[in-house]
Amino acid sequence: MGIKRLYLFLLKKFMPIFLMTFGICMFIVLMQFLWKYVDEMVGKGLEISVLLEMFFYAALSLVPMALPLAILLASLMTFGNLGEQLELLAMKSAGISLPRIMRPFIILLSFVAVGAFFFQNNIIPLSQVKMWTLLGSIRAKSPELQIPESTFSNQIEGYNLYVKRKDKDGRLNHLMIYDYSEGFNNAQVIVADSGRMKISADKQFLVLYLFEGKMFKNFNKDGIGSSEAIPYMKESFKVREMLIRFDSDFHRADESILQDRYIGKNLADLQSSIDSMTAHLDSIKQMNARAIYQQSYRKELEGAKEEDTVHTEEIPDFDRLCRELPPGRQVMLLRQAKNAIETTKSDYDFKAAVLSGDEKEMRRHHTEMHQKFTLSFACLIFFFIGAPLGAIIRKGGLGMPVVISIFLFIFYYVINNIGLKMASNGMWQPWQGMWLSSAVLLPLGIFLTYKASNDSVILNADTYVEGLKKLIGKRATRKIEKKEVIMFHVDNAIWGAQIERLKEQCETYLKTSGQWMPYFRFWEQGGRDPEAERISVQLEELVTEGSNSDRHLVLNKLMDYPILNGYYPIHFRISRTVGKILGWLFPIGLPIYLLATYRRKLLLHDIRTMTQVSNELLNILKNETYEPNEHD
């Protein structure tokens, strides 16, 4: 009973956040859609109902983009809040593991994933068809925004319009209008410096206001072939108003065109279309193969009878025969051969283009079919990324979770688009391209869930700082405090002799060891320096013995001794043979050697410091004059 109450408590925590994040994500993707197509909707006199219908279908079509992001953000915020308020810690203290805490969310989101599949299979095709059909109808409503620059446009029946440049305020510059609405025999040409275009109040005419131009009109009633002089009219004007009959009412396009495309089909329709296209492509390939065979020389050779075959010695010399022909005849034969080759090549190129188009359409059907499953899988993957990530970072609210969610979703979106492009272009198999993003993010979800279940500090900044310090050879400083109870007092004579031996070893090492160790010697020693290791061991024994001193001056001076461990990039023992193998593998061995060389420079510096500190300690023990350092 208690665990059920806990699950109910967790779901009550999750559901409001999920609904909020889903609403926010839907708003964001809708705004992105609006920014992309706002120029095609504004200024066309569309009714509010048409715009609302457009946004409704767009919202339905954008659910596959908003839903995974909402699940990622909601799960990250929920578990971040639980961790920040120590509720997650309390549940773990009660013996409830993280996978068990995630159980109600997994069950809930499994139902969401199943619902997402049916939504993607049944609702998305209808909404996609209606959205793109409606958007195409909106695009075709007004010709003004569709008139291209520096190109003749024949969108208006009976007219060709040329506009060199369009200003942002709607002014058209350097217009040329060919009016053949009354027939080519009575065509007229209008040239104007500038003009403006608008729709009449009854939406039945385009009104063109032309400024500073000329009009030329032809009166050739007898037809183009008449040999008589053709009368024409020329007119100059400063301002001219021109009415062009044009129905600017909003008309919906036929939805059946897009219903036959892959975006308007459910899973069963896609599979049926794929089977039909596969059979169609196979038949086309067989026909092309037979046509190529019919045109090839192999058919002639295989069809020739044995008695009709020509022996090798009887084959005429075609080059000699060609040279014996007149030059004009040779040129004609070469031209005929060239034309035959070009015709054959064009035929093959056309067949290849048709085949390529059909194959691309079939690939798009395959990608659309896989896409109906990837949405559901992405919902579950994003939960297994967001929930453990929130448990690790333990930050709720809309700060850090939003940043992480946006970064992860952009990463997912880019990979998904790369896979879609690769699959659509035929570079990858459709299933490889469409499942690429899931294959990349699934290991991340498993890794984060495992780390969160084991209370990992993977996102703890101190962990990475310490790792970086270890990489560059930086060690912690030595800290020694005076003991309240000293069991064994230091014998200054024995300890002084120990310091003297350490000093001599350091001086000997500095004399015999260079700054650069030979490359292969470094690897023969297993990437380590045995002499430096012995000095390090002796130093730690000396410091351990000296820490029993009751003199503050001695203890402070002991803290000046550096810590010699952490200089080696290889922190495990390797044999001489393995070291030689790594040495010969330059892509691996050379970077490690260069890093070890840098650390060796630090080692030599610290050994010089040890020599100096040893001298100062000996002076202290002998009660000689000593200038205290910064620790004193």
Side-chain angles (χ1 to χ4, degrees), residues 90-139:
M91 286 183 277
K92 289 183 178 180
S93 301
I96 305 175
S97 62
L98 182 64
R100 194 175 179 187
I101 297 172
M102 295 168 59
R103 185 181 300 172
F105 302 103
I106 296 174
I107 296 174
L108 173 65
L109 292 177
S110 297
F111 284 104
V112 172
V114 173
F117 167 75
F118 285 103
F119 184 87
Q120 182 87 353
N121 187 51
N122 300 322
I123 306 299
I124 290 295
L126 299 176
S127 64
Q128 289 268 46
V129 169
K130 291 185 177 295
M131 183 191 74
W132 291 113
T133 302
L134 191 58
L135 184 60
S137 303
I138 293 174
R139 285 173 174 171

Side-chain angles (χ1 to χ4, degrees), residues 378-398:
C379 294
L380 295 176
I381 289 179
F382 275 122
F383 170 73
F384 282 103
I385 292 176
L389 199 57
I392 292 173
I393 64 175
R394 299 174 184 176
K395 294 290 184 181
L398 291 173

Side-chain angles (χ1 to χ4, degrees), residues 35-71:
W35 293 333
K36 186 175 182 180
Y37 296 106
V38 64
D39 292 337
E40 300 176 2
M41 301 180 188
V42 175
K44 296 192 175 183
L46 296 173
E47 297 180 359
I48 298 296
S49 60
V50 175
L51 294 176
L52 291 177
E53 184 181 0
M54 182 69 195
F55 289 139
F56 174 73
Y57 292 134
L60 292 178
S61 301
L62 293 172
V63 166
M65 183 180 294
L67 184 59
L69 178 59
I71 291 176

